[in-house]
Amino acid sequence: MKTLKLLSGKEVSILGQGTWRMGEKANQKQAEIDALRLGIDLGMTLIDTAEMYGEGGAEKVVSEAIVGRREDIYLVSKFYPHNASYKGLIAACDRSLSRLKTDYIDLYLLHWRGSTPLMETLLGLQHLKQAGKILDYGVSNFDTDDMQEAESLPGGKAIATNQVLYNLMRRGIEWDLLPWCKERNIPIMAYSPIEQRAFVNNSKLDKIAIKHNASSTQIALSWLLHQDNVISIPKATNLDHVKENGAALNIKLTESDLKELDLAFKPPTRKMSLAMR
Ligand code: NAP
């Protein structure tokens, strides 16, 4: 598994697993656990979840998927902006820890920016880190101006990642946010890396997919895996999808493939506001 180093020195896999939409239906639970376990076996040991997903249900699914292998997992969870006050996020973290059946979260993220002053949220995150309940903290859905503001506050320079929408069809962050983060060694965690199935049978990817004996979705994921300073977290419950995603790591795109992809999915030519799901 290819890895990337966080500011804190921790090495994490550049291909992880998402869990949005997991933990919503009881009859899907075992399939979700099996999918996450297969992904872990294939080296996708970074698991992204959130208190929002299935209103705690996804964290419970994750807790079962990682039983007996907690130390192999890099566990990421996120708290709601309405829980981002100092007291609120400490309580939210305790609830997540209890659902996840663990005593620490590797990386804890503010899901998106709300009305709580960032200074207060950063204080709460530092408290949780000192208490050992989280090992690192970061943000999600922050545009460059939000990152600049956070960086200027106490504890802001320790932000370990910014989790944002990024894939071949959504390249807006390449204009400013991606280089800004790269200059500071803050990895971007790309969510919806396969644009929620939008690359399936995408004719713009056909030629390259055939050349690499891969699916068009794998090519889109592989493109992200070729980007510097980026971690990708596709979500898959279907076991064939999990295997396909894991195998995307073995695809080596050539310079000419990358140029062709730039022509088919153009990089931004101006500042674009950060897109969000
Ligand atoms: P995604 O990973 O781009 O796409 C997931 C969808 O693609 C699922 O329907 C899945 O189907 C399907 N799929 C997976 N692998 C496939 C493959 N190889 N071929 C064809 N289809 C495939 O979308 P996402 O769930 O929005 O994003 C990924 C993760 O990012 C989330 O789960 C979540 O952890 C995180 N996220 C964060 C935010 C945020 O605000 N911070 C927002 C959105 C997402 P099956 O499940 O049936 O296999």
Side-chain angles (χ1 to χ4, degrees):
M1 178 56 70
K2 285 189 204 155
T3 59
L4 181 156
K5 213 175 244 185
L6 301 182
L7 280 174
S8 57
K10 178 84 188 171
E11 288 214 12
V12 298
S13 48
I14 62 163
L15 179 60
Q17 304 186 77
T19 63
W20 191 18
R21 307 277 187 228
M22 289 191 181
E24 292 179 356
K25 293 185 189 136
N27 64 0
Q28 281 293 302
K29 190 174 180 188
Q30 195 54 50
E32 292 162 358
I33 293 169
D34 292 346
L36 289 173
R37 284 193 182 148
L38 174 62
I40 296 166
D41 291 340
L42 295 173
M44 294 181 264
T45 51
L46 183 153
I47 298 182
D48 176 71
T49 189
E51 63 172 338
M52 184 185 101
Y53 303 161
E55 288 305 324
E59 290 182 324
K60 289 183 184 164
V61 167
V62 171
S63 79
E64 294 197 39
I66 66 174
V67 165
R69 52 208 310 189
R70 173 69 186 92
E71 63 283 3
D72 301 332
I73 303 300
Y74 191 79
L75 190 51
V76 184
S77 194
K78 304 187 279 297
F79 55 97
Y80 276 119
H82 63 247
N83 286 333
S85 67
Y86 184 84
K87 279 191 178 165
L89 84 101
I90 291 169
C93 183
D94 282 339
R95 290 193 296 271
S96 283
L97 287 171
S98 149
R99 284 188 292 263
L100 287 161
K101 297 197 174 81
T102 183
D103 50 10
Y104 69 98
I105 292 170
D106 292 275
L107 179 59
Y108 200 38
L109 310 179
L110 170 59
H111 208 147
W112 65 91
R113 206 170 164 177
S115 55
T116 307
L118 269 182
M119 169 110 90
E120 182 177 345
T121 305
L122 284 165
L123 275 177
L125 286 167
Q126 288 169 88
H127 170 91
L128 286 173
K129 197 170 165 177
Q130 276 152 17
K133 292 184 177 183
I134 63 172
L135 302 188
D136 254 322
Y137 56 79
V139 293
S140 176
N141 297 301
F142 268 40
D143 209 338
T144 314
D145 53 347
D146 301 308
M147 289 302 284
Q148 282 164 335
E149 186 183 335
E151 188 193 37
S152 72
L153 298 170
K157 287 198 173 56
I159 287 175
T161 194
N162 184 11
Q163 185 179 114
V164 293
L165 177 59
Y166 183 41
N167 62 49
L168 252 186
M169 288 181 188
R170 309 275 204 152
R171 298 183 62 172
I173 65 164
E174 289 174 26
W175 186 254
D176 57 348
L177 182 61
L178 191 65
W180 191 93
C181 288
K182 198 174 159 193
E183 270 166 35
R184 290 158 182 79
N185 289 321
I186 302 171
I188 285 289
M189 197 174 283
Y191 74 68
S192 305
I194 49 174
E195 189 59 18
Q196 302 187 333
R197 302 179 67 90
F199 292 105
V200 175
N201 298 328
N202 189 304
S203 58
K204 289 181 180 177
L205 293 167
D206 274 354
K207 218 175 88 198
I208 300 178
I210 291 166
K211 180 176 143 191
H212 289 276
N213 195 18
S215 72
S216 47
T217 302
Q218 281 179 306
I219 298 299
L221 185 55
S222 171
W223 175 82
L224 262 185
L225 296 170
H226 279 71
Q227 306 309 307
D228 203 17
N229 209 40
V230 174
I231 297 164
S232 302
I233 47 168
K235 177 265 177 187
T237 299
N238 177 304
L239 296 183
D240 288 334
H241 290 164
V242 178
K243 286 182 210 154
E244 265 201 20
N245 296 344
L249 264 177
N250 303 325
I251 300 170
K252 301 225 177 329
L253 298 176
T254 63
E255 282 304 314
S256 96
D257 293 335
L258 292 168
K259 273 189 198 138
E260 231 176 273
L261 292 171
D262 274 344
L263 288 175
F265 301 91
K266 296 214 167 29
T269 51
R270 61 182 169 81
K271 166 73 186 162
M272 298 170 85
S273 331
L274 187 66
M276 236 187 108
R277 295 226 120 87

